[in-house]
């Protein structure tokens, strides 16, 4: 089941679980590390919002097509799945969602989310060495004088 949910999460960047909340996939852009002459890769992480937990109709259509069932059966099935997931979190203290993170409860019974780390091989820095060619020719425009102003001269 988590494979279908992961596919939806990675495509649509969020997934809502009734009674629990919504998991969002966030991307922080790549950065240049000038001192080490490397490009640091983008960072992917998951964020959990326990206040919004209503899946949209598009999700149920996706789920129905993936499981080859009708939309109303997908709604019923997903609500049962989320009910069982909430019960597992209450009974086992934590539930691991492969590739996404861990859902667990705190001392007061609230659901917490711990994001999974991205695989190390996927997020390696890349060397970024500036290439300077001595004989290269290119046009350099200085100031605000563009191509339109040059035609008038």
């Amino acid at each position: 089941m988590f494979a279908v949910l992961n596919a939806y999460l990675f495509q649509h960047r969020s997934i809502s679980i009734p009674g629990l909340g919504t998991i969002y996939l966030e991307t922080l852009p790549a950065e240049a590390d000038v001192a080490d002459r490397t490009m640091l890769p983008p960072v992917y992480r998951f964020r959990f919002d326990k206040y919004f937990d209503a899946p949209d109709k598009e999700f149920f259509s996706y789920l129905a097509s993936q499981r080859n069932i009708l939309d109303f059966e997908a709604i019923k099935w997903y609500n049962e799945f989320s009910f069982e997931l909430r019960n597992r979190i209450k009974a086992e203290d934590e539930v691991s969602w492969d590739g996404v993170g861990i859902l667990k409860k705190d001392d007061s019974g609230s659901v917490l989310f711990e994001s999974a780390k991205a695989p190390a091989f996927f997020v390696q820095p890349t060397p970024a060495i500036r290439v300077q060619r001595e004989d290269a020719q290119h046009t350099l425009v200085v100031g605000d004088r563009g191509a339109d102003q040059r035609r008038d001269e």
Side-chain angles (χ1 to χ4, degrees), residues 1-10 15 17 23 67 77-78 81 85 88 95-101 103:
M1 175 55 195
F2 284 117
V4 173
L5 298 180
N6 282 356
Y8 184 85
L9 174 60
F10 294 130
I15 189 166
I17 306 165
I23 297 174
R67 297 188 48 94
W77 182 85
Y78 190 62
F81 166 80
L85 184 61
R88 279 182 53 199
V95 174
S96 177
W97 185 328
D98 289 337
V100 176
L103 291 161

Side-chain angles (χ1 to χ4, degrees), residues 11 32 86:
Q11 290 174 26
R86 289 191 310 267

Side-chain angles (χ1 to χ4, degrees), residues 43-102:
V43 176
Y44 299 95
R45 68 176 181 195
F46 297 97
R47 180 177 54 88
F48 181 69
D49 180 1
K50 65 182 178 181
Y51 298 108
F52 183 73
D53 63 354
D56 56 359
K57 186 176 179 181
E58 179 182 294
F59 170 72
F60 292 117
S61 297
Y62 174 85
L63 193 59
S65 69
Q66 292 297 310
R67 297 188 48 94
N68 293 324
I69 56 177
L70 299 173
D71 283 2
F72 77 90
E73 292 173 342
I75 294 169
K76 179 183 175 208
W77 182 85
Y78 190 62
N79 285 329
E80 289 172 358
F81 166 80
S82 64
F83 179 76
E84 290 174 17
L85 184 61
R86 289 191 310 267
N87 287 340
R88 279 182 53 199
I89 293 168
K90 289 177 185 174
E92 300 172 19
D93 291 332
E94 71 178 36
V95 174
S96 177
W97 185 328
D98 289 337
V100 176
I102 297 173

Side-chain angles (χ1 to χ4, degrees), residues 11-27:
Q11 290 174 26
H12 295 89
R13 306 187 70 77
S14 69
I15 189 166
S16 298
I17 306 165
L20 282 179
T22 299
I23 297 174
Y24 297 95
L25 174 61
E26 296 179 334
T27 306

